[in-house]
Every structure is written in structure tokens, then in C-alpha cells.
Amino acid sequence: MILSKKLHKTGIVSHGFFNRKNGFSKGIYRSLNCGIGSLDNKKNIVKNLNYVKKKLLTKNNISLLYQVHSSKFYFINKFQKKTLAGDALITNMKRLPIGILTADCVPILVLDKKRNIIAAIHSGWK
């Protein structure tokens, strides 16, 4: 897990950037694949998500997106069971894990310290 020194110093948000390492997926998905929409074995995806939750020191489920390379974002205040299509999640709720997935794109975390709002943004490589 990779940490942002600036975000870590705030003490406001628990966060991490993960790479392919330490995953349970096999074959073409051999990695820390957390893509629920992928054709990977669902048991492996659950194991991967549990690994991420353990590293982030949370037992709460992580809200993720089906990313579509858009300007669509969602402000959420509870775990999203329904799959949302877009490219950013924003919340001001404590202990509500949000995340985005990337391959060749850029993950961005933005923190508003005054309002205690965090955004996880998927930014396309183009």
C-alpha cells in the first residue's frame, strides 16, 4: 500500500493506493483485482477486497464505481449496493470507504479539510 504523505499528515482520512501485488486472482486477472464487473472469479474478488479493507483498517464495505470515462460523479452518504456508473465518488461521511479502480489511468484523491469531504476520482490517461 502506498500512502500520500500530505493526506497522511492531516490525520483526517485513512487512505491507500494499491498495485497489482498481493492479490488472490489467477490467470489473466492475476493481481489484486477488485473489479466486481470483471469476469474474474467472484471469490477471488471478495478476497482481494477483504485484503484492501484489512490494510485500510476498516470492516466496512468499499463503495466502488463502474467507471465509464465521463464527468459523472456521485455524492454518497451510505454504502452503495447498486453499481453506479461514473468516475468519481465524494463523501463527507466518516468510516465510509470509497474507491476507484485504475489500469492505465490515474487515481486522484482530493480532501477538503475545512468541510471534511473526500473525493476519489478516476482520471483517464487522455
Side-chain angles (χ1 to χ4, degrees):
M1 181 170 76
I2 302 163
L3 296 176
S4 159
K5 290 178 184 176
K6 287 185 178 184
L7 280 177
H8 185 69
K9 283 181 183 178
T10 68
I12 296 172
V13 62
S14 175
H15 74 286
F17 296 92
F18 295 85
N19 56 26
R20 301 176 56 85
K21 295 179 181 178
N22 301 316
F24 295 92
S25 297
K26 308 288 183 222
I28 63 169
Y29 294 103
R30 193 175 120 226
S31 67
L32 186 63
N33 178 29
C34 295
I36 295 173
S38 73
L39 297 177
D40 192 3
N41 182 308
K42 299 304 179 209
K43 289 180 183 179
N44 291 337
I45 295 170
V46 169
K47 286 182 185 178
N48 290 334
L49 286 167
N50 285 334
Y51 172 82
V52 170
K53 290 189 323 186
K54 183 178 177 182
K55 287 294 188 180
L56 292 175
L57 305 176
T58 184
K59 293 182 180 183
N60 299 335
N61 288 327
I62 303 168
S63 292
L64 297 168
L65 291 166
Y66 174 72
Q67 290 151 198
V68 294
H69 296 272
S70 70
S71 59
K72 183 78 176 172
F73 67 90
Y74 297 91
F75 191 94
I76 61 172
N77 59 10
K78 63 181 180 179
F79 171 70
Q80 296 300 300
K81 293 179 185 174
K82 180 178 135 183
T83 302
L84 303 173
D87 287 284
L89 289 174
I90 305 167
T91 191
N92 62 352
M93 303 301 294
K94 291 184 178 186
R95 296 177 190 82
L96 177 61
I98 59 174
I100 52 99
L101 307 175
T102 62
D104 58 353
C105 295
V106 180
I108 300 171
L109 294 177
V110 178
L111 174 65
D112 180 333
K113 293 190 286 189
K114 291 181 183 175
R115 295 185 177 99
N116 287 331
I117 296 174
I118 186 82
I121 305 165
H122 167 255
S123 179
W125 62 273
K126 289 185 178 183

